[in-house]
Amino acid sequence: MTELRTLKVALLGCGNVGAQVARILIEDADTLAARAGAKLQLSGIAVRNVHAQRDVDLPQELFTTDADTLVKDADLVIELMGGIEPARTLILSALRNGACVVTGNKALVAQDGPTLHEEADKAGVQLSYEAAVAGAIPILRPIRDSLAGDRITRVLGIVNGTTNFILDQMDTTGAQFADALAEAQRLGYAEADPTADVEGHDAAAKAAILASLSFHTRFALENVHCEGITSVTAADIAAAKDAGFVIKLLAIAEKLNVADTETGGGEGVSVRVHPTLLPREHPLAAVHGAFNAVFIEAENAGELMFYGQGAGGTPTASAVLGDLVSAARSLVLGGPGRTETTTGQVSALPIDAAVTSYYIGLDVADQPGVLARIAQLFAEHGVSIEIMRQTIHRDAESNVESAELRIVTHRASEAALAATVEAVKGLDVINSVTSVLRVEGV
Ligand code: NAP
């Protein structure tokens, strides 16, 4: 048997994910070599503190603080440090040196993907980041490779486990947002500073990556409209539940054509992250706890769903090692082939041009003719009502009756809906607009 060649693997970072990648590289060396067609030799691990206690027992001599030198001598570089710098400079240096790069850094790829891809294309090497979106779930390669012969029309993703855990807690226990967040922090699902998760920034970075691959166009972070879950209340969740819906934070990328957009947005892709009502029978409604899932609609394949663990050291390491073996094969066989195409060139639509259904909660005076006035106002703005439900409340002290009105609309543009809500607020019979939430999957 011919001796396999050896490829040097530099690992940058040895935290939650990096430590597990190092462990698997050492423990499964023979299996990985057989699959890659080359021995994958861990040549060093760059960290900030070489003496820090690690989750895994690893040979001390592998550790270094000199990431620059480690990268220069590697065939394959795995970046698992996170953050923009020095990760960006080290990845660019690796690519310029002809090394293939595997990273899990969604923030960097979403912010500076075009520069990294340009460098990888110039050097003719592979740049891959399966771990950057939905952790262990194989989703980027299925979109890029398996669906290369199809046309994706829509992607709906639960891509942030922290927010899914919080919304799921609120749904199952009736908790308020603050209490569900505290529980997520106690169980280690949320960071001490949860801003990136609860404000939707983490999901927005993943939405930009999913949209770019799905629509063969590079979408930047600023193309993603982003709303987090901090304003979702227990009352919103209860009302949604009552109407047969569940609230999820979705990353959405969908192609809309001119006929769909009433605001002159034209054909393009709407990329957005926001709390969304889903019918309880929708496949994504069954994604509980900190799990992730991505639901894809394609012209020929129809509906597809990918489900699994969106985070965690070992699950995420699985995605990293998949990319690593694929990159090693490209080095063994010669030439990476094109990893992504950007021939789509569709424009990103502004949020006003997004088209979806809406749930609107209204607190209204209990008077005759109110429903008709509201319905007429919706019709005047071109927003058609699918469901309208009224519940009467009597205030125990004042004995005054008011009505809670819940409306679900047919698909309409954001601009039309915003104008309708503004007009509704001006009616003298409206006490307050209690919620306006987008609905998918109806
Ligand atoms: P982590 O636990 O914070 O580990 C970061 C590692 O990078 C540490 O070992 C740290 O060294 C090292 N590091 C940071 N800055 C460095 C610098 N300037 N120079 C040298 N080393 C440096 O991070 P993680 O959770 O493993 O995540 C790594 C990447 O994977 C991130 O991009 C993250 O977004 C992505 N990711 C993570 C998950 C997950 O479940 N954790 C899931 C999907 C994707 P010290 O140990 O010496 O401090």
Side-chain angles (χ1 to χ4, degrees):
M1 221 174 90
T2 50
E3 181 72 10
L4 292 179
R5 73 189 264 206
T6 297
L7 296 173
K8 285 188 181 173
V9 181
L11 177 60
L12 312 180
C14 194
N16 294 319
V17 186
Q20 299 307 326
V21 168
R23 175 184 63 79
I24 299 168
L25 269 173
I26 294 168
E27 282 179 9
D28 290 350
D30 292 344
T31 312
L32 292 169
R35 292 183 187 168
K39 290 181 188 163
L40 304 178
Q41 184 210 334
L42 183 57
S43 55
I45 307 173
V47 288
R48 279 178 298 214
N49 176 6
V50 294
H51 301 296
Q53 184 77 25
R54 303 285 160 195
D55 294 345
V56 175
D57 253 346
L58 296 163
Q60 186 58 39
E61 64 274 14
L62 285 177
F63 288 93
T64 176
T65 52
D66 187 359
D68 292 319
T69 306
L70 189 62
V71 160
K72 287 195 179 104
D73 192 33
D75 301 297
L76 298 148
V77 173
I78 305 174
E79 186 278 307
L80 292 167
M81 298 190 308
I84 303 301
E85 286 296 350
R88 180 181 182 278
T89 302
L90 288 164
I91 289 177
L92 287 174
S93 159
L95 294 170
R96 282 174 193 140
N97 286 332
C100 292
V101 172
V102 176
T103 175
N105 197 330
K106 67 219 94 169
L108 178 59
V109 175
Q111 182 179 307
D112 217 5
T115 312
L116 304 183
H117 276 290
E118 202 178 301
E119 227 31 77
D121 288 349
K122 252 194 251 166
V125 293
Q126 202 161 298
L127 166 71
S128 34
Y129 38 87
E130 184 65 71
V133 180
I137 306 174
I139 182 64
L140 300 189
R141 205 158 326 146
I143 290 176
R144 198 190 65 203
D145 296 340
S146 316
L147 291 167
D150 206 333
R151 272 200 203 90
I152 292 175
T153 50
R154 197 143 81 119
V155 180
L156 303 178
I158 294 173
V159 291
N160 181 274
T162 307
T163 46
N164 200 55
F165 178 86
I166 292 170
L167 292 172
D168 198 33
Q169 276 283 307
M170 292 173 77
D171 188 70
T172 50
T173 69
Q176 284 290 358
F177 169 76
D179 297 327
L181 169 60
E183 179 67 353
Q185 285 171 321
R186 192 182 68 77
L187 295 171
Y189 290 124
E191 312 245 344
D193 177 2
T195 313
D197 292 320
V198 298
E199 296 294 352
H201 304 152
D202 173 82
K206 294 164 180 172
I209 296 172
L210 284 170
S212 299
L213 284 165
S214 301
F215 297 101
H216 304 275
T217 300
R218 291 207 174 114
F219 294 102
L221 206 46
E222 62 259 28
N223 299 134
V224 184
H225 173 83
C226 176
E227 293 169 30
I229 63 163
T230 50
S231 57
V232 177
T233 63
D236 287 333
I237 301 262
K241 203 171 187 174
D242 197 42
F245 293 100
V246 62
I247 301 185
K248 297 287 187 190
L249 183 72
L250 293 190
I252 301 172
E254 68 177 329
K255 194 153 187 188
L256 297 171
N257 55 45
V258 184
D260 274 342
T261 63
E262 292 149 27
T263 57
E267 187 180 39
V269 173
S270 172
V271 193
R272 51 192 205 269
V273 169
H274 51 67
T276 312
L277 270 72
L278 282 172
R280 292 190 97 84
E281 60 277 9
H282 191 281
L284 286 174
V287 178
H288 296 291
F291 275 83
N292 281 197
V294 181
F295 186 82
I296 293 181
E297 293 169 28
E299 270 182 24
N300 302 319
E303 295 179 347
L304 302 162
M305 174 134 137
F306 302 78
Y307 169 87
Q309 297 190 62
T314 305
T316 307
S318 164
V320 171
L321 284 151
D323 276 350
L324 189 75
V325 169
S326 161
R329 282 177 185 155
S330 79
L331 292 179
V332 171
L333 299 171
R338 282 192 69 85
T339 52
E340 266 184 38
T341 57
T342 51
T343 50
Q345 301 303 336
V346 274
S347 56
L349 294 174
I351 187 64
D352 269 4
V355 177
T356 185
S357 302
Y358 300 86
Y359 167 89
I360 300 128
L362 300 172
D363 182 352
V364 302
D366 183 27
Q367 292 173 10
V370 170
L371 297 192
R373 283 179 72 189
I374 292 171
Q376 189 190 342
L377 210 60
F378 272 70
E380 281 168 10
H381 287 82
V383 179
S384 106
I385 293 174
E386 185 176 1
I387 302 167
M388 191 189 250
R389 264 207 223 150
Q390 184 179 239
T391 321
I392 307 292
H393 298 289
R394 182 186 295 277
D395 188 277
E397 277 180 21
S398 63
N399 211 25
V400 172
E401 276 191 349
S402 67
E404 191 188 345
L405 212 56
R406 295 174 187 166
I407 296 169
V408 178
T409 73
H410 286 288
R411 277 165 71 82
S413 74
E414 285 271 334
L417 194 275
T420 311
V421 171
E422 270 317 298
V424 166
K425 279 182 188 164
L427 288 177
D428 54 4
V429 291
I430 299 290
N431 298 328
S432 64
V433 177
T434 51
S435 52
V436 178
L437 290 159
R438 300 171 186 92
V439 183
E440 292 288 341
V442 286

